[in-house]
Amino acid sequence: MSFETLIDQLTDDLAPVRPRRLWIDVGIMALIAVIELALLFVIGFANLDMHRIETQPTVGWRLASLGLISLVSGFAAIRSFDPTYSAKGSIRWLAAIIATCVVGGLFLGSFPGGVSALLARLEWTNGIGCASHIALLSTPPLVGLVLLGRRGAPTDMRRTRLLVGLAAAAWGAFSFVFSCPFNDPLFIVTWYGLGCTATVLIARYVLPRLARW
Amino acid sequence: MIAAQGGDAPAYRRLLAELGTWLRSYYAKRLPAAMVDDVAQEVLLTVHAKRHTYDPSKPFGPWIAAIARYRWIDRLRAMKDGLTDELEEEMAAPDTGEAAHSAYTLDALLSRLKPAQANAIRLVKIEGMSVKEAAERLGQTIALVKVNIHRGLRRLSELVQAEGHEF
C-alpha cells in the first residue's frame, strides 16, 4: 500500500479522541482496590481487629510496607503506560523501599539458632495457603492494570510488567493482612514474598501477550 | 496532533504526511532499505491507534520518537526470531550516504558484542550468507552460529533499549 493511500484511509477513519489522563487511570485503580477491600470485609474474609493490630507489631509493619509498595509501584506502573515515561528511576526507588521494608520487618522478630528451628517456623501448609491467597487477591488489580496497559502505550514492557506485577502483588498482600493470623516476620517475609513473586511472574507472562501493541 | 485529537482531518493528513517523511529518514539509518517503508507505515497505523496516549501538555517530538523507537526494537526482535528465514536481495544496503551512516552505527553497536556474536551477525544478517556457509567460514557448528546470532541480536536489542540510541 502506498503512503498516500494509507494516509487517506487513516484520515477518513479519524474521530475525535479524549487524551489519556493519568489521574483518571489512578482513580480507576484506586476504585478497584477499594472495592476489592470493601468486598473482603463485607463477606467476612477480612476483619479489622484493633486488638490484634495493637498486640501484633508486624500488622502495622505489614500494612505500612505493603501499602507504600503498592502505592509507589501502582503509580509508576500507570505512568509507564505513557510511551515517553522511563521507569528506571521508579524501579530503583522501589528496590530500596522493598529492601528497607524487609530488613525492618526482620528486626521485629528473633532468630533462634538452628536451621530446623527456622524451618519449623515456616509452617509450610499454612504458608502455602497464605501465598495462594495473596496471588488470588492480586487478581483484580492485575486485571485492572492490564486493561489500562492495553489502552496505553508502554514502550518498556520489561519494566512495565515488573511494576504491574509488583503493584498487584503488594495490593493483594495488603488486603490479605486483614485476614492473616500469623505474626512471625520470617513466616511473613517468606510466604508473602512467595505469593508476591507468583503474581509478578504471572504479570511477566500475561502483560506482554495482552498489552502488546 | 492536538488538532487531530479533536478530529481535524486536514491537520491530521498534514501531520501524517510529514511524519511519513520523517519516519522514512529515521528508519533509513536503522534498518535495511527493504523494511523502511513497511515499518514507517506500521508506525503511522500505531500513531492512529494510540493517538489518545499523546498528552497535549507535553512536546510531540519525544512521543513520536518513543513510538518510532519501540517499533524499531520490535522489528529487531522479529529479525532475531526469524533466524532461519531466507534473506532477501534487498537486505544489502544501497550505496548511499545514509547507508554508510547506518553501517557505521551498526558497526559501533556490533563492536560492543562478543566477537563470535558480532561475526555471526555480520556474515548472516548483513552479508547474507546462509547459516551453514557462516558456520564453515567461522569454523563453528551450525547450532553455535544460530545461538550466537540469537544472543547477539538479543544483546543488540537490549543495548538499543537501555541506552536509547539516537544516531
Side-chain angles (χ1 to χ4, degrees), chain B residues 15 80 98 109 114 134 145 148 150 165:
Chain B
L15 173 76
K80 180 186 82 180
E98 277 190 348
L109 281 170
K114 288 180 182 168
V145 170
N148 279 330
H150 177 82
H165 272 282

Side-chain angles (χ1 to χ4, degrees), chain B residues 26 34 51 54 60 63-64 66 87 96 125 127 136 150 152:
Chain B
Y26 179 92
R51 62 192 187 280
Y54 168 62
F60 179 67
W63 183 81
I64 187 63
L87 290 163
T96 64
K125 288 291 175 186
E127 293 179 15
E136 282 165 7
H150 177 82

Side-chain angles (χ1 to χ4, degrees), chain A residues 1 8 13 20 151-152 212, chain B residues 13 41 48 50 52 74:
Chain A
M1 187 191 294
D8 284 344
D13 188 47
R20 177 179 172 264
R151 190 168 183 274
R212 188 144 204 90
Chain B
R13 181 185 298 277
Q41 291 194 2
H48 185 72
K50 295 289 178 183
H52 64 278
D74 230 22

Side-chain angles (χ1 to χ4, degrees), chain B residues 3 12 17-20 26 39 66-67 72 90 92-93 103 107 109 126 137 139 146 150 155-156 162:
Chain B
Y12 191 47
E18 285 178 17
L19 278 182
Y26 179 92
V39 183
I67 288 179
W72 175 40
E90 289 80 1
D107 261 353
L109 281 170
I126 299 173
R137 169 82 74 89
K146 282 184 178 177
H150 177 82
R155 177 74 186 132
L156 270 183

Side-chain angles (χ1 to χ4, degrees), chain B residues 74 76-85 125 150 153:
Chain B
D74 230 22
L76 284 178
R77 285 206 187 100
M79 285 166 72
K80 180 186 82 180
D81 294 341
L83 280 181
T84 52
D85 289 353
K125 288 291 175 186
H150 177 82
L153 287 174

